[in-house]
Amino acid sequence: MPRYDNLINGQWTAAASYQANTNPSDLADVVGEYAQGTAEDVQTAVAAATAAFPAWSLSGIQARHDALLKIGNELLARKAELGDLLAREEGKTLAEAIGEVGRAGQIFQFFAGECLRLAGESIPSLRPGVGVEISREPLGVVGLITPWNFPMAIPAWKIAPALAFGNCVVLKPAELVPGSAWALADIIQRSGIPAGVFNLVMGTGRVIGEALVHHPGIAAISFTGSVGVGRGIAKACAANGKKVQLEMGGKNPQLVLDDADLPQAVELAAQSCFYSTGQRCTASSRLIVTDQIYPAFVQALQARMANLRVGDARAANTDIGPVVSQAQLEQDLHSVDIAQAEGAVLAAGGTRVGCHTGSGKLGFFMQPALLVDSTAEMRINREEVFGPVASVVRVRDYEEALHMANDTEFGLSAGIATTSLKYATHFKRHSQAGMVMVNLPTAGVDYHVPFGGRKGSSYGPREQGRYAQEFYTTVKTAYTLGAYAWCFGPLKQAANA
Ligand code: NAD
């Protein structure tokens, strides 16, 4: 069985123990054994990153651009191979996994360009003859903690801006998906970036994650994951004066109004709720449907769901791969039981299914679930499930739909299906989500624009696009006497100033 080490100070470093990485489509298939780091490994990685920081933070932007571009190009060139690895360890379909690796490549290419576009401002002071420069500088060593559901893209959209703006990095990927992170680290390691600038420490959240969050040498933590863990990290960072950025859960609403294009609304609901096995933070899980269209919408969605093929993530005709783990599968099935106990009606799926896989050993497969006649108060409409489970709520009109959409502790993504410009425009302004979609699935975003939510979904500056610099840089304001002297009189006089 191949063993994969941590990357610390430019060296592949053996660990005291290793953990098997299992394919959720085929439990007999072990991808490899991955290092389980210790708190001492975090100490060594932070020390290496701290030593590398002065040179890296002052390195030329051309060198940073070239390294990031090289990483992006290799990811794109190898997206089929790495997509296969990603689908094998995480369980999204091959098409989705290849798309994710391609996205990671594009993100590195985008931030290669951002290295060359980091601008400051130069403006006159209130005091004549004084100049003011506003510039951005890197933070230092940043700790990046990532979840399992986008094993390549989320590390990419944190690592690329961190490096582009001159920071050094310690990445701690999720326990369930170390393979994609290791492959990415291998590419970064060969990109020409100096030893210590990028470090990978795999292991548990309790050990590696907490060691990073509490380490005095870490200037900032960027975390994506669950609300509970995120809030604990925010508290610890506040106590230690660290900058923190959190991307967390969602309970994303998808409104369907009476005037919606029915086939379009059904398709975007199926895409939002069930593709990637519903394991996207931007997945829609609450379908809020107005009175007139409700019966036709439910019927058409049931028919669409009957055609969803659940199976091995890497099989050619699979639409929906397995749930990522036994624990997540149990949570998904349990949420369906709770919803039914509270009075919702199971209209499709919601059960574990056996699928033919390579070894014949059952993977974590679940038939996507549709719960109808649910109400806003039910737990199924208030708590994140993070699986292929959607509930439908019937409402009178747009006003009630909007109220219900916003009646949640989360605010990541929200969608509306309507042919009315009036409702679309009103929803874009009044939705309390960070991202709003009109006649599009709630999941599926561009990489060159800000990503993030409001309320319990996010904390701190946005990720991705130009906005990423808000988190990965700190602003400096410098005043210089005489900087603008030549503007205020003849050159000779200015020279004497
Ligand atoms: P999780 O919170 O269990 O784990 C996320 C990461 O935190 C993992 O690397 C884990 O090892 C680490 N961790 C766990 N305990 C820790 C601790 N005490 N200290 C430091 N680190 C710790 O989340 P998950 O199950 O991997 O991912 C699913 C969650 O992620 C869902 O809630 C989903 O909505 C959310 N998510 C959000 C976004 C977004 O951008 N908003 C994107 C993807 C996933």
Side-chain angles (χ1 to χ4, degrees):
M1 182 56 54
R3 283 196 151 184
Y4 298 90
D5 295 334
N6 285 321
L7 178 64
I8 299 174
N9 201 17
Q11 301 294 320
W12 292 108
T13 307
S17 64
Y18 289 77
Q19 170 105 5
N21 179 7
T22 307
N23 178 350
S25 295
D26 179 353
L27 304 185
D29 176 31
V30 177
V31 179
E33 292 193 333
Y34 288 81
Q36 290 290 288
T38 60
E40 289 70 44
D41 292 327
V42 173
Q43 296 283 351
T44 317
V46 176
T50 305
F53 178 68
W56 179 247
S57 66
L58 297 173
S59 61
I61 54 175
Q62 186 70 53
R64 299 215 287 261
H65 164 276
D66 293 351
L68 293 190
L69 192 62
K70 199 169 170 201
I71 297 165
N73 290 347
E74 183 167 342
L75 284 166
L76 282 162
R78 292 175 58 200
K79 68 180 180 180
E81 168 212 342
L82 296 174
D84 186 74
L85 166 68
L86 199 164
R88 188 175 165 208
E89 73 171 352
E90 196 268 352
K92 64 183 62 173
T93 63
L94 204 48
E96 291 167 332
I98 292 171
E100 181 179 337
V101 177
R103 172 56 59 99
Q106 290 166 330
I107 289 168
F108 273 97
Q109 289 181 336
F110 174 83
F111 281 104
E114 286 296 277
C115 295
L116 309 181
R117 288 190 286 265
L118 188 64
E121 284 180 272
S122 177
I123 53 178
S125 159
L126 300 176
R127 289 162 283 176
V130 173
V132 185
E133 287 161 71
I134 303 163
S135 58
R136 289 185 175 273
E137 294 182 3
L139 301 173
V141 182
V142 298
L144 309 179
I145 302 176
T146 54
W148 48 261
N149 66 328
F150 282 93
M152 194 66 93
I154 293 181
W157 80 52
K158 294 182 191 298
I159 297 166
L163 296 180
F165 300 130
N167 300 284
C168 292
V169 168
V170 181
L171 170 69
K172 185 242 155 317
E175 294 88 321
L176 290 170
V177 290
S180 300
W182 190 94
L184 180 55
D186 175 49
I187 292 172
I188 295 172
Q189 154 85 338
R190 290 183 284 96
S191 68
I193 279 176
V197 170
F198 173 82
N199 303 272
L200 169 75
V201 186
M202 299 175 281
T204 66
R206 277 263 161 262
V207 176
I208 308 302
E210 290 199 7
L212 276 176
V213 168
H214 292 282
H215 197 296
I218 295 277
I221 295 281
S222 178
F223 165 85
T224 301
S226 59
V227 175
V229 173
R231 289 201 174 139
I233 288 177
K235 239 186 233 174
C237 287
N240 297 312
K242 286 188 197 339
K243 196 170 182 181
V244 65
Q245 172 183 61
L246 311 173
E247 287 299 341
M248 301 174 286
K251 193 71 209 173
N252 306 305
Q254 171 66 59
L255 276 58
V256 179
L257 302 191
D258 287 345
D259 65 10
D261 173 325
L262 184 63
Q264 183 188 57
V266 167
E267 190 52 36
L268 65 86
Q271 290 282 343
S272 291
C273 297
F274 306 124
Y275 278 73
S276 295
T277 323
Q279 297 175 152
R280 293 182 285 196
C281 51
T282 47
S284 176
S285 53
R286 289 187 294 149
L287 300 169
I288 303 173
V289 184
T290 50
D291 205 45
Q292 301 279 306
I293 201 171
Y294 184 93
F297 175 78
V298 169
Q299 197 182 20
L301 185 55
Q302 280 173 300
R304 174 71 178 86
M305 290 175 70
N307 295 327
L308 290 174
R309 290 161 302 196
V310 177
D312 190 319
R314 294 187 294 160
N317 59 357
T318 296
D319 296 313
I320 312 290
V323 171
V324 74
S325 67
Q326 175 80 36
Q328 187 65 51
L329 177 64
E330 282 167 11
Q331 186 179 313
D332 296 350
L333 295 170
H334 188 50
S335 73
V336 174
D337 291 342
I338 293 173
Q340 288 179 280
E342 290 189 344
V345 175
L346 186 61
T351 50
R352 185 171 190 176
V353 284
C355 295
H356 177 76
T357 59
S359 70
K361 203 166 172 193
L362 191 64
F364 303 125
F365 297 104
M366 174 177 173
Q367 200 65 38
L370 186 68
L371 293 144
V372 299
D373 298 340
S374 70
T375 60
E377 301 71 38
M378 291 178 181
R379 284 176 64 188
I380 194 67
N381 286 317
R382 307 212 77 84
E383 298 168 10
E384 183 181 52
V385 176
F386 217 57
V389 181
S391 49
V392 198
V393 194
R394 190 171 190 154
V395 290
R396 245 185 350 269
D397 52 19
Y398 167 72
E399 276 72 21
E400 191 183 357
L402 174 66
H403 172 78
M404 203 173 284
N406 287 335
D407 181 21
T408 168
E409 64 178 281
F410 299 109
L412 188 57
S413 182
I416 186 168
T418 179
T419 51
S420 156
L421 184 61
K422 176 179 75 174
Y423 291 131
T425 308
H426 191 272
F427 188 66
K428 280 193 276 185
R429 173 61 187 86
H430 294 276
S431 164
Q432 293 169 1
M435 296 175 291
V436 180
M437 311 292 177
V438 177
N439 293 324
L440 288 166
T442 54
V445 295
D446 291 355
Y447 61 85
H448 65 308
V449 291
F451 176 96
R454 296 184 185 174
K455 303 201 273 190
S457 291
S458 302
Y459 184 81
R462 290 283 187 269
E463 300 203 80
Q464 302 199 53
R466 271 194 296 126
Y467 284 72
Q469 64 173 259
E470 292 301 326
F471 181 71
Y472 290 103
T473 63
T474 183
V475 169
K476 179 173 279 173
T477 311
Y479 295 80
T480 310
L481 177 64
Y484 280 84
W486 61 86
C487 299
F488 294 93
L491 209 52
K492 230 179 192 174
Q493 188 186 319
N496 297 334

